[in-house]
Amino acid sequence: MDMQELIRKARNADAAAQKYLFEQWSAKMLMLCRRYVKNAEDAEELMLNGFFKFFTHLSSFNYQGDASLQAWLKKIMINECLMFMRKKNLFVIVSEKRQDEISIEDEALNNLSAAEIFNLIIQLPAGYRTVFNLYAVEGMSHKEVAKLLGISEGTSKSQLSKAKAMLQKMYTQNQSNYVTRKSQ
Amino acid sequence: MSQERVNEAGGWKSKLEELDMVPGEPVFNTGAAWEKLEERIAGKKRTVVPLWYWLVAACLILALMIPFIPAKKTNTNVVLQEKKQPTEKIVTPKPKENNHGIVKLPVIYKRKIKNIKVVAPAVAAIKEEITPEIIQPDTAAVPLVVNVVTPRRKLQVVHINEITEQGNQEELTQHTRSNIRFNEHKGDDFTKAYATNTSDNIIKIKLPSN
């Protein structure tokens, strides 16, 4: 079925269309929420909240292709996760001086499977994880990250550097495991 | 800039975004999650519709009530006037005095008078037979009870001087006359004395010499 038609029906509270959209995107959105919130139950609740807002505010959405729909859904989910983390005081980002950016080799991450990358990311502390997700995964600039989290750009950069350093360390520690699995 | 980063990142980012389940964890139950979400959406719809319904209903009721409010007020006035029945005071004829000299005050009762409807033919018959000149059909509502109001007994207060000066001594009874004595003029003072049967109660009034 045409996505635009689905959106139109879902806007008119068509349950079948809403269900179809939910089934199409729910699993991916759940994984997105889990990258921000470790706890699986919390992540599911946030995903449901996000979809609830998506369906109730669908009338204000201007469909411009599947990419726009996915981007809008992701934005809603990220906002839900950040609000939840603020409420629960899950991350406290202390203002820090800018540190030299530590580059984790993309080649190293490319060699890993999606699940392995996911497991590495969720092991990061909440502050590092959030900045890494927003900057490295969602593709936001430091300015945007700083504005969204209410921190300075320098703090965002330092948090990202620390996150990358930690990922590098974890990758190095587990490298032998990855190599062993790949050879098998 | 973000596009550059995506290109730099290579495939790991796209791999991560394509991930829809974590290996080793139970598979996400989409059906159960949809049921939860559907309940929420239905709950939202249920709460919105009655709110509008009640608001509109309240406005309609208010709008309908406005023209009736003053009319209802006048109606209640009429009803009150109709309900108000004339009352008439019935006074016991005489205040009686008992042996101890205590006068009982008249007792006032209130009784409602019923409106009596007089049928015109019956009145006409009475008119012919008994007193055609007095009874008129218009005087249908003749009050059954006539006011019997006796004036309170008032005793006239008269000064003793008035009695003596006006020469009303003849009117005094023999009893009172025997009780009043005029003393003689003693020196400058003129003293009047009033005495009852006993000589204990004597009122003496001293008047100035001029």
Side-chain angles (χ1 to χ4, degrees):
Chain A
M1 198 186 283
D2 184 22
M3 188 59 79
Q4 196 161 5
E5 181 66 13
L6 269 174
I7 297 284
R8 192 187 61 76
K9 283 183 176 175
R11 221 176 257 164
N12 296 327
D14 185 319
Q18 286 177 343
K19 191 182 178 186
Y20 185 85
L21 282 170
F22 180 77
E23 284 172 348
Q24 191 92 355
W25 296 103
S26 60
K28 282 179 186 172
M29 294 303 132
L30 179 64
M31 294 312 292
L32 183 147
C33 292
R34 285 207 61 190
R35 268 196 282 122
Y36 288 84
V37 182
K38 255 188 188 177
N39 187 287
E41 286 173 5
D42 288 340
E44 190 180 329
E45 189 65 25
L46 291 169
M47 184 268 293
L48 289 176
N49 286 346
F51 267 102
F52 179 72
K53 284 188 179 170
F54 170 72
F55 287 127
T56 49
H57 295 91
L58 202 54
S59 54
S60 63
F61 172 65
N62 184 22
Y63 180 76
Q64 292 170 343
D66 288 7
S68 68
L69 177 67
Q70 190 179 356
W72 198 52
L73 255 174
K74 277 169 77 175
K75 198 178 172 184
I76 292 170
M77 297 297 168
I78 290 166
N79 281 337
E80 282 295 314
C81 292
L82 294 180
M83 281 197 315
F84 174 80
M85 291 170 87
R86 273 197 206 102
K87 258 187 210 170
K88 298 266 176 182
N89 274 331
L90 286 180
F91 67 93
V92 180
I93 297 172
V94 183
S95 181
E96 290 175 43
K97 285 179 184 176
R98 188 188 166 180
Q99 290 187 352
D100 293 330
E101 203 165 304
I102 299 163
S103 59
I104 180 169
E105 288 180 17
D106 288 326
E107 193 64 33
L109 288 175
N110 284 337
N111 289 334
L112 300 177
S113 68
E116 285 165 345
I117 299 165
F118 177 83
N119 282 328
L120 283 176
I121 290 169
I122 60 169
Q123 283 176 48
L124 291 170
Y128 299 170
R129 190 170 68 233
T130 309
V131 175
F132 181 81
N133 275 323
L134 292 172
Y135 181 85
V137 184
E138 315 304 343
M140 288 184 187
S141 65
H142 280 298
K143 197 178 178 181
E144 287 170 323
V145 173
K147 196 179 174 186
L148 198 61
L149 299 179
I151 55 173
S152 68
E153 280 186 52
T155 308
S156 172
K157 282 171 185 171
S158 73
Q159 293 283 312
L160 182 71
S161 297
K162 285 181 178 179
K164 281 182 174 177
M166 196 172 263
L167 276 174
Q168 184 81 51
K169 195 180 171 184
M170 284 191 289
Y171 174 76
T172 316
Q173 281 174 353
N174 295 322
Q175 200 173 12
S176 55
N177 294 338
Y178 300 141
V179 171
T180 316
R181 240 181 291 154
K182 278 204 170 178
S183 62
Q184 285 172 356
Chain B
M1 185 181 170
S2 62
Q3 191 57 41
E4 285 170 22
R5 278 214 310 276
V6 170
N7 294 337
E8 281 170 19
W12 72 268
K13 194 185 160 187
S14 56
K15 268 197 275 182
L16 192 64
E17 284 187 340
E18 289 302 315
L19 183 72
D20 53 8
M21 65 168 290
V22 182
E25 283 190 7
V27 182
F28 171 59
N29 189 346
T30 318
W34 169 249
E35 279 175 15
K36 283 183 196 173
L37 184 64
E38 202 176 18
E39 274 177 25
R40 275 196 215 177
I41 294 167
K44 165 94 176 169
K45 279 177 193 167
R46 270 200 295 271
T47 52
V48 167
V49 173
L51 184 73
W52 280 106
Y53 174 79
W54 286 115
L55 277 172
V56 171
C59 290
L60 273 173
I61 288 165
L62 279 172
L64 288 171
M65 277 176 70
I66 288 165
F68 288 102
I69 290 166
K72 205 173 181 182
K73 274 182 183 174
T74 53
N75 285 341
T76 51
N77 288 339
V78 169
V79 169
L80 286 171
Q81 283 170 5
E82 282 175 2
K83 281 183 181 177
K84 202 174 181 181
Q85 295 289 336
T87 53
E88 193 156 342
K89 289 179 182 176
I90 300 164
V91 183
T92 48
K94 281 183 180 178
K96 288 180 180 177
E97 193 173 332
N98 61 8
N99 296 334
H100 306 287
I102 299 163
V103 177
K104 283 184 179 177
L105 291 171
V107 184
I108 299 167
Y109 299 102
K110 286 186 177 179
R111 192 173 75 183
K112 286 183 180 179
I113 298 169
K114 290 177 183 177
N115 290 329
I116 299 164
K117 291 179 182 177
V118 178
V119 184
V123 173
I126 295 164
K127 189 179 174 184
E128 285 173 7
E129 288 173 8
I130 310 164
T131 53
E133 297 85 14
I134 299 164
I135 300 170
Q136 297 295 324
D138 296 335
T139 59
V142 178
L144 289 177
V145 183
V146 181
N147 283 344
V148 184
V149 182
T150 53
R152 284 190 175 183
R153 192 178 174 188
K154 286 182 181 177
L155 297 172
Q156 194 180 358
V157 180
V158 182
H159 196 269
I160 192 73
N161 291 343
E162 289 177 15
I163 299 166
T164 53
E165 284 171 7
Q166 290 172 6
N168 291 332
Q169 289 181 8
E170 295 85 10
E171 289 175 17
L172 294 172
T173 58
Q174 189 64 36
H175 175 72
T176 51
R177 193 181 293 168
S178 63
N179 291 335
I180 298 170
R181 285 199 305 254
F182 290 100
N183 288 352
E184 293 174 358
H185 183 248
K186 294 177 180 177
D188 295 335
D189 297 332
F190 179 78
T191 306
K192 277 183 183 176
Y194 172 82
T196 56
N197 287 336
T198 59
S199 58
D200 297 330
N201 299 327
I202 296 167
I203 300 165
K204 290 183 177 178
I205 303 165
K206 283 189 175 181
L207 297 173
S209 57
N210 293 331

